[in-house]
Every structure is written in C-alpha cells, then in structure tokens.
Amino acid sequence: MSVEDILSFMNDFPALLWRIEIARSRIEFLNNNYVISHGVDGKLLLKNIRYRNEVVVPDDAYLLNVFMDSVKKGKTSAVVFRVRCPDDQTAWIKITGATNTWDPRYYYGFLLNVTDTVEQIKALLNTDVNIQSLVDETETAAVVLDCPSHKVLCCNVAACTLFEMNRDELVGRHLFDLCRESVKTAVEHMLEQVVVAHKWQGKLD
C-alpha cells in the first residue's frame, strides 16, 4: 500500500483519528473528520476540558476520565458515552485507543459516532428480549441498570422488598441512592471495572 493510499484511507475514515504523545500529553489529529455529531466538535472535545464539560452528559463524564487514565498508563481502552447536541438531541460516541507497539511513546485512537449502532441494539433488545420478564423470574433481588446513567431500568418484587419501595419508586433511582455511604467508593471502582472489562466479580460488604 502506497503512502497516498494510506493518506486517502485516513482522510476517508468516518471517524476522527488522533494520537497522543503520552509523556507530554500532546495530541495530534490525523484527519479532519472533527464533526462527530451535529454541532459537536471532536477536536475541542479532546483538547478543551471546558467544552467537554459542556457537551458530555454529566452522568457519563467519569467514563472519559477512565479512558484518559488508561491513556496515561498506555493501556488499550474503549468507552461509549453520550454528548448533547445543539438541537436537543443526544448522540452516542465511542472513543478507543491503544499504544503504538512500534513506538510506545504514542497512543493512537479514534472518536466515532455510534448512535445508529446503539439504536439498532436497543431495537433488537426491545424486540427479542423481555428483560422485565427475565428479572421477574429471578427469586433473589435483582435490578437492571442503564450503564451510562447508573439508573434503575427495571426490578423484581424481591428488590422492592429489599429496598422497601414499590416498583414505581425504585425504577429511575440512581444506583448510589440504593447504596450505603460506606460502600459507595467500592461501587465506583466496580463500575469502572465494568466499563473497561465489561464484567465484575466480587463482593460488596
């Protein structure tokens, strides 16, 4: 593949390509596909903390912090988060990256709008799986959380009994509303592991 072919691929790639010089925290953009959603500037999102705080949904801000920590450590990482667009719409954005094995001083990655993919997954779940029925069949207390917002989507009777709430009161509650103060730090670490590894195993005392 010629240099021209590589440059053409990079310019046509439907995402914002970038690399970070880890030691200096210096970012360089490798193409000009910076409009990652209507009215949302991907370059500013990565470079400007104030702009990032304005457009990223507050409940998802910690996800980017988790990703940036992985960048500093040179670890491969990927997270999906939401941004607020000027037209009052919400877009789903994926950021992923890894250290360059040939030159580990640099961390390469891309920023991609995955809203269509998320909507397709939601449609499949709504069509093929009745999550509420699965939860109701569980004898022990069970709640299903929305991963980005950490709010309860559905629950079973045992969970209502455990938290002494009816279903309407429990659905929509933030996970931290259901935790003792003494375990909130442990829960935060658990959520971070779920974001990075997509699983968690352990016990909350």
Side-chain angles (χ1 to χ4, degrees), residues 52-73:
R52 185 186 307 165
N53 292 337
E54 290 176 357
V55 300
V56 175
V57 172
D59 286 337
D60 294 2
Y62 83 98
L63 296 169
L64 273 178
N65 293 335
V66 170
F67 181 83
M68 292 305 177
D69 285 342
S70 295
V71 173
K72 294 175 183 177
K73 298 173 183 176

Side-chain angles (χ1 to χ4, degrees), residues 20-41:
I20 292 175
E21 187 177 356
I22 299 174
R24 298 173 59 188
S25 298
R26 185 176 66 87
I27 190 167
E28 176 184 0
F29 298 100
L30 306 179
N31 65 10
N32 204 36
N33 297 328
Y34 62 89
V35 181
I36 55 173
S37 186
H38 175 65
V40 179
D41 188 319

Side-chain angles (χ1 to χ4, degrees), residues 60-176:
D60 294 2
Y62 83 98
L63 296 169
L64 273 178
N65 293 335
V66 170
F67 181 83
M68 292 305 177
D69 285 342
S70 295
V71 173
K72 294 175 183 177
K73 298 173 183 176
K75 294 182 178 180
T76 300
S77 183
V79 299
V80 176
F81 59 95
R82 295 166 296 170
V83 296
R84 296 173 292 197
C85 304
D87 55 3
D88 293 328
Q89 298 295 312
T90 299
W92 293 80
I93 307 299
K94 178 178 182 179
I95 185 170
T96 184
T99 301
N100 184 342
T101 54
W102 182 72
D103 188 350
R105 294 177 303 167
Y106 292 97
Y107 193 97
Y108 284 77
F110 65 80
L111 201 62
L112 175 68
N113 189 322
V114 293
T115 303
D116 289 345
T117 302
V118 170
E119 295 303 326
Q120 290 171 7
I121 292 172
K122 286 182 178 179
L124 288 172
L125 289 174
N126 290 336
T127 302
D128 298 336
V129 180
N130 188 330
I131 298 177
Q132 183 66 64
S133 296
L134 295 175
V135 172
D136 286 338
E137 292 173 2
T138 304
E139 295 182 359
T140 56
V143 297
V144 175
L145 299 174
D146 174 63
C147 189
S149 68
H150 305 146
K151 292 182 179 180
V152 177
L153 294 177
C154 62
C155 59
N156 62 3
V157 173
C160 292
T161 301
L162 175 66
F163 294 110
E164 299 180 342
M165 301 179 190
N166 60 44
R167 196 184 298 268
D168 289 339
E169 291 174 319
L170 190 50
V171 171
R173 291 268 184 164
H174 195 282
L175 176 60
F176 288 167

